[in-house]
Amino acid sequence: MKRFVPVLLLLVTVAVVAVLACWLTGHYLRGHTTSGHIEAHQWIHAQLGFTAEQETQLGPIEKRFDEQKRHYGELLRIANQELAQAIREDRTHSPRVTAAVAKIHQAQGELQNATLQHIFEMKPVLRPEQYEKLIQLTAEALYHEEKHE
């Protein structure tokens, strides 16, 4: 009986970590890959009142960011699969589980950096008041997201 409790606690811990990692990754990806993100992106464009010339200038910036989102989204998907496989096969908080979680965190961090770089890259195309509004909308979105996590 004494051996059963530590094993049970270990299994519960692994299960909680796995569920939490999958939920966080899924939640993060939904925010960046669903139509909700596209609608939010369009909403921001509407809020900033881009001119046709600005839209043209922003085209390559937007394309590059879309490619980065797809790339990091794919890395997250692969890391989640690795985590799921490690949990199924190892059935413990193994080095493979730890490595998969680290890959998830790395991809999430890189996606966040790409998002921030995208925002800052837009600055030369925007009028000062547009850029200020973009910064405010971004900060509010981050604050709003933090409150709901």
Side-chain angles (χ1 to χ4, degrees):
M1 183 66 167
K2 288 182 181 180
R3 293 185 78 195
F4 177 73
V5 172
V7 170
L8 181 61
L9 287 174
L10 179 62
L11 288 174
V12 169
T13 301
V14 168
V16 167
V17 168
V19 168
L20 183 61
C22 290
W23 180 83
L24 286 171
T25 301
H27 179 73
Y28 193 77
L29 279 176
R30 273 194 307 278
H32 293 283
T33 60
T34 65
S35 63
H37 174 69
I38 293 168
E39 291 167 7
H41 193 81
Q42 292 170 342
W43 180 81
I44 288 174
H45 278 234
Q47 295 298 307
L48 297 175
F50 294 150
T51 65
E53 181 180 340
Q54 285 175 316
E55 289 283 358
T56 301
Q57 291 175 324
L58 290 170
I61 295 170
E62 297 293 335
K63 182 179 179 192
R64 191 169 35 258
F65 181 55
D66 285 342
E67 291 168 359
Q68 290 175 322
K69 285 189 303 186
R70 278 193 298 278
H71 171 73
Y72 294 121
E74 180 63 12
L75 292 179
L76 283 166
R77 187 188 66 74
I78 291 168
N80 271 329
Q81 288 178 342
E82 289 175 11
L83 177 60
Q85 184 176 356
I87 289 168
R88 282 189 200 112
E89 293 174 2
D90 298 356
R91 300 190 179 284
T92 186
H93 194 205
S94 68
R96 285 193 327 154
V97 168
T98 300
V101 170
K103 284 183 180 180
I104 290 167
H105 292 165
Q106 177 70 30
Q108 288 173 332
E110 293 297 330
L111 179 57
Q112 187 72 28
N113 281 329
T115 301
L116 293 172
Q117 181 61 36
H118 171 66
I119 290 166
F120 300 139
E121 191 177 7
M122 294 171 70
K123 184 177 183 177
V125 178
L126 305 181
R127 295 185 311 271
E129 66 275 7
Q130 288 174 311
Y131 185 68
E132 183 58 31
K133 190 166 188 176
L134 175 61
I135 294 297
Q136 292 304 317
L137 290 170
T138 302
E140 287 174 21
L142 288 169
Y143 179 74
H144 179 73
E145 185 68 24
E146 178 67 25
K147 286 180 71 172
H148 293 290
E149 296 269 326

